[in-house]
Amino acid sequence: MNDTDRASKITAIIEAYPADRRFALAAMQDMQHEFNYIPEEGLVALADYLDCSKAHLYSMATFYKALSLTPKGEHIIKICNGTACHLRGSVNLATELKRILDIEPGQTSADGEFSVEYVNCLGSCALAPVMVVDGVYHNKLKVDQISGIVESYRTDDSKDVVSND
Amino acid sequence: MINGTDRILVCCGTSCIANGALDVADAIEKELTARGLADDVCVNVVRTGCSGECEQGPVVRFMPRDLMYYRVAVRDAKAIVDSLDGAPVKKLLHKRDGQFFEHMDDNPFYALQHKVVLKDVGIIDPLSLDDYISRGGYEGLKRALSMTPDEIISEVEKSGLRGKGGAGFPTGRKWRSAAGYDEWPKYIVCNGDEGDPGAFMDGSTMEGCPHAVIEGMVIGALAIGAEEGVLYIRDEYALARDHIQHAIDDAYAAGILGDSIMGTPHKLHLSIVRGGGAFVCGESTALMASIAGRVGEPRAKYIRSVQRGLFDKPTVLNNVETLASVPTILRFGGEEYAKLGAEKSKGTKVFAMVGKVKHTGLVEVPMGTTLRTLIYDIGGGIMNDRPFKAIQTGGPSGGCIPESLLDLPVDFDTLTEYGAMMGSGGMIVMDDRSCMVEVARYYVDFLCEES
């Protein structure tokens, strides 16, 4: 994406809302969705538009877990760590992901392909433990299923690299 | 419309979708088409909300024969369509202690439940306003429109309804206080930020019967004089958000929301605010700060929200389940509702029973039902018949209740006396292998992280 594209996308997102501070969270969520993070120029433009300080938006961006100031991976893996999933071994899922991707929950893989996050509860406790990849639920997971699921999300290029190894 | 037609109901709550319910619905539709039955109005596939027994999903139900099938796979579509006018598919029936159960009401998981909030969930198509209306939806609102605000509030007071998010504050009293302030605009806010881990009652209600929540909000708005309302819905609940938005759009188109509610001079505009993924935003003042476009931090409690809430204006904030109880109260009267439940906790409560219990899922029972009934009679006991150790209620700041207290009635007050609390309705069952020290550490970590 070139700079002009990005700037026009930011403008489009921001101007979809009235210039009222109550829409700050919604506009930042849209940016997060579009860019996988909140670009600095997006935050600055939004502060101008809403006539509030950048610090105000920065405090929101660091407070809400749905927002991130650094780019997240292309695929987001959410491990549910609600009580039911915790009791049924969600920690083991995180350990297995660490083995495969070499990242802890909260981090993004070096190739930018995956982010792993712990989330509190995805509301599917009856199917614990649950992992959600890009919005798709994988339930009653066993540790030995994880690598197959992760590989199925890798882009074709990186799959080739893996098979050449 | 429901009446007089055969329907195949495929539960498409979050959990059943995770189990492949959408593919099952497609396979059944294909099978019907292949047999030339698709255009026959008698048979159609309705994507419903959560029917409760999430672990055994996808759940498929025939109406009006009332056959319930569990753990249905795509390959079962043919056998299911065969059984439309034949013998039930035995392997898909509910089985408990060697017995097969054909009908929903025979199944002990449902037989002991009493559904008020969830009465339409799993039965109607959540995306169909007509379905909701055919089950008596918006009758409560119609009655409310013929009453004065004071009469509406009196009806809610008579019902004994208390805030089902866990705090148990009398809903009627909250509405009366907000109605008493001569300051406009006023707001009505629905708390759909169900953050307790192990709880999915509100999410399922919004997914399965979004119009009940909206009807409750319209009635509340009439009672206090609000013309604007906001539903604050958790970031993680994408399906609930979609269904609520769909219902809002339909309600506007049908003249139920907007500048003239059902042709009267009353107004109400509703919108959704998507939560940012912060547990503390389930607290009322943090939630209102979040709606206003600030960091979701709670404020001191001496300022009451009914006087200075959202945008510092008089605001009523109710939880999803509370609001979804209101249409029934207005339709049948507060006294009818108050016949259900315990002395100081009227009506029903929805619980999400999960963990090491045989039959997990959503359960709605009259207040005052004992923990033993919930776990053993409805839930079927502990997985693999292992010994029970504890049941955790009330979310991270609740408590763990041991076996010696299993005969306690569950209501707003009793569990609090024993140092636990009923809370919003999450119940996590633990067996002898669950380590209580580890559980305590988990909750402390959770609260540290979210504080």
Side-chain angles (χ1 to χ4, degrees):
Chain A
M1 190 186 304
N2 64 38
D3 286 353
T4 334
D5 271 2
R6 185 201 286 266
S8 62
K9 274 187 177 158
I10 288 172
T11 311
I13 287 170
I14 292 174
E15 291 183 355
Y17 295 96
D20 183 335
R21 205 178 286 190
R22 66 192 277 194
F23 300 106
L25 179 56
M28 284 197 278
Q29 280 167 327
D30 289 352
M31 281 190 233
Q32 178 78 39
H33 184 75
E34 176 68 37
F35 305 112
N36 270 344
Y37 77 118
I38 318 255
E40 190 180 341
E41 59 265 45
L43 196 141
V44 172
L46 184 62
D48 278 349
Y49 182 70
L50 297 179
D51 193 22
C52 66
S53 70
K54 292 186 276 291
H56 176 82
L57 297 183
Y58 182 83
S59 71
M60 289 178 73
T62 51
F63 176 82
Y64 291 106
K65 275 192 186 158
L67 306 176
S68 153
L69 291 168
T70 49
K72 284 196 182 173
E74 199 177 323
H75 304 290
I76 313 273
I77 303 177
K78 294 181 177 179
I79 308 168
C80 182
N81 197 25
T83 317
C85 288
H86 185 79
L87 285 176
R88 289 196 193 172
S90 56
V91 176
N92 301 333
L93 306 185
T95 310
E96 177 68 0
L97 282 169
K98 157 106 178 135
R99 191 186 69 76
I100 299 168
L101 297 171
D102 198 27
I103 47 173
E104 306 269 357
Q107 297 179 336
T108 299
S109 60
D111 59 5
E113 198 147 23
F114 294 97
S115 287
V116 176
E117 298 170 1
Y118 262 141
V119 292
N120 285 335
C121 184
L122 293 162
S124 279
C125 310
L127 308 179
V130 175
M131 180 173 100
V132 176
V133 187
D134 297 345
V136 177
Y137 282 66
H138 299 272
N139 55 68
K140 291 194 181 176
L141 273 182
K142 300 202 169 56
V143 166
D144 57 14
Q145 295 171 274
I146 305 277
S147 66
I149 294 170
V150 170
E151 289 312 319
S152 72
Y153 284 91
R154 279 201 201 274
T155 54
D156 289 331
D157 291 358
S158 48
K159 260 184 201 159
D160 289 345
V161 174
V162 172
S163 59
N164 289 341
D165 279 347
Chain B
M1 301 296 282
I2 292 177
N3 299 330
T5 56
D6 283 339
R7 285 157 70 101
I8 298 177
L9 311 176
V10 181
C11 177
C12 288
T14 298
S15 293
C16 279
I17 289 178
N19 266 333
L22 293 173
D23 292 338
V24 167
D26 283 346
I28 294 175
E29 265 171 356
K30 265 193 203 134
E31 189 63 30
L32 292 172
T33 311
R35 298 187 194 195
L37 293 169
D39 295 331
D40 187 339
V41 282
C42 293
V43 190
N44 56 11
V45 175
V46 176
R47 297 196 163 92
T48 64
C50 184
S51 58
E53 266 195 306
C54 308
E55 178 141 33
Q56 305 223 32
V59 180
V60 174
R61 186 179 185 198
F62 288 179
M63 295 302 280
R65 266 181 84 193
D66 190 17
L67 280 178
M68 286 283 272
Y69 290 144
Y70 297 91
R71 295 180 198 272
V72 177
V74 167
R75 63 173 179 279
D76 298 320
K78 193 173 170 300
I80 285 178
V81 175
D82 279 344
S83 75
L84 269 176
D85 50 2
V89 189
K90 206 168 177 185
K91 67 162 187 164
L92 300 176
L93 293 175
H94 180 75
K95 194 180 163 198
R96 195 189 272 214
D97 304 328
Q99 244 189 304
F100 292 93
F101 298 93
E102 286 186 14
H103 308 299
M104 182 163 166
D105 293 341
D106 303 342
N107 177 346
F109 184 83
Y110 294 104
L112 292 163
Q113 296 193 45
H114 191 108
K115 297 197 174 191
V116 174
V117 172
L118 300 179
K119 71 181 170 60
D120 298 328
V121 175
I123 293 173
I124 62 165
D125 179 350
L127 300 182
S128 163
L129 174 60
D130 287 344
D131 267 17
Y132 181 64
I133 288 173
S134 75
R135 302 263 303 171
Y138 291 107
E139 288 297 324
L141 172 60
K142 271 188 207 156
R143 187 161 165 255
L145 283 166
S146 71
M147 299 160 81
T148 64
D150 184 62
E151 285 167 342
I152 298 174
I153 294 170
S154 298
E155 205 68 79
V156 175
E157 283 171 337
K158 265 188 267 175
S159 74
L161 180 66
R162 294 170 64 177
K164 295 190 189 182
F169 191 85
T171 307
R173 201 194 302 169
K174 189 186 271 185
W175 287 12
R176 192 170 290 287
S177 323
Y181 290 101
D182 257 339
E183 198 187 339
W184 276 267
K186 295 181 183 183
Y187 296 97
I188 183 150
V189 177
C190 171
N191 184 349
D193 196 53
E194 186 171 52
D196 282 356
F200 51 95
M201 302 77 57
D202 294 345
S204 303
T205 306
M206 291 186 283
E207 280 175 17
C209 194
H211 282 288
V213 184
I214 291 168
E215 186 179 357
M217 287 185 81
V218 183
I219 294 168
L222 290 174
I224 65 165
E227 294 185 345
E228 188 180 345
V230 178
L231 295 105
Y232 188 89
I233 302 176
R234 228 180 135 208
D235 187 40
E236 287 83 352
Y237 283 174
L239 191 64
R241 224 164 38 231
D242 288 352
H243 286 193
I244 290 278
Q245 187 60 56
H246 191 102
I248 289 177
D249 295 345
D250 281 356
Y252 269 106
I256 293 164
L257 291 174
D259 287 333
S260 169
I261 300 173
M262 291 183 161
T264 66
H266 299 286
K267 293 176 195 167
L268 181 64
H269 291 273
L270 289 185
S271 59
I272 294 177
V273 169
R274 176 181 171 181
F279 175 71
V280 71
C281 287
E283 194 277 337
S284 61
T285 58
L287 187 152
M288 289 187 282
S290 184
I291 294 176
R294 297 198 303 271
V295 167
E297 282 171 343
R299 69 174 189 206
K301 282 287 191 183
Y302 58 85
I303 314 164
R304 295 167 65 226
S305 300
V306 285
Q307 185 180 5
R308 283 177 52 199
L310 186 59
F311 306 122
D312 281 337
K313 298 292 178 192
T315 302
V316 156
L317 183 139
N318 288 133
N319 147 279
V320 168
E321 194 185 337
T322 313
L323 289 165
S325 307
V326 167
T328 302
I329 292 170
L330 266 290
R331 186 173 161 211
F332 298 107
E335 278 162 21
E336 249 340 274
Y337 186 83
K339 286 179 189 165
L340 283 168
E343 198 191 335
K344 288 185 178 163
S345 304
K346 299 298 185 191
T348 60
K349 181 78 195 79
V350 180
F351 297 104
M353 194 161 56
V354 298
K356 305 287 181 71
V357 63
K358 277 185 191 164
H359 301 281
T360 61
L362 274 192
V363 176
E364 183 172 5
V365 290
M367 295 262 194
T369 301
T370 65
L371 287 166
R372 194 180 296 281
T373 301
L374 279 164
I375 299 167
Y376 286 92
D377 300 337
I378 294 175
I382 309 302
M383 267 180 182
N384 305 318
D385 295 312
R386 297 192 70 91
F388 168 88
K389 184 182 264 179
I391 180 164
Q392 204 279 340
T393 63
S397 27
C400 292
I401 299 165
E403 183 162 25
S404 59
L405 299 176
L406 276 187
D407 290 308
L408 286 181
V410 185
D411 58 34
F412 285 113
D413 311 303
T414 311
L415 296 187
T416 312
E417 283 170 34
Y418 288 85
M421 62 182 191
M422 181 174 81
S424 64
M427 290 194 159
I428 298 107
V429 178
M430 302 174 200
D431 68 10
D432 61 332
R433 287 179 299 181
S434 308
C435 170
M436 299 316 290
V437 178
E438 215 283 314
V439 169
R441 186 164 46 204
Y442 166 75
Y443 281 119
V444 171
D445 283 349
F446 180 93
L447 292 170
C448 282
E449 171 71 26
E450 294 293 342
S451 293

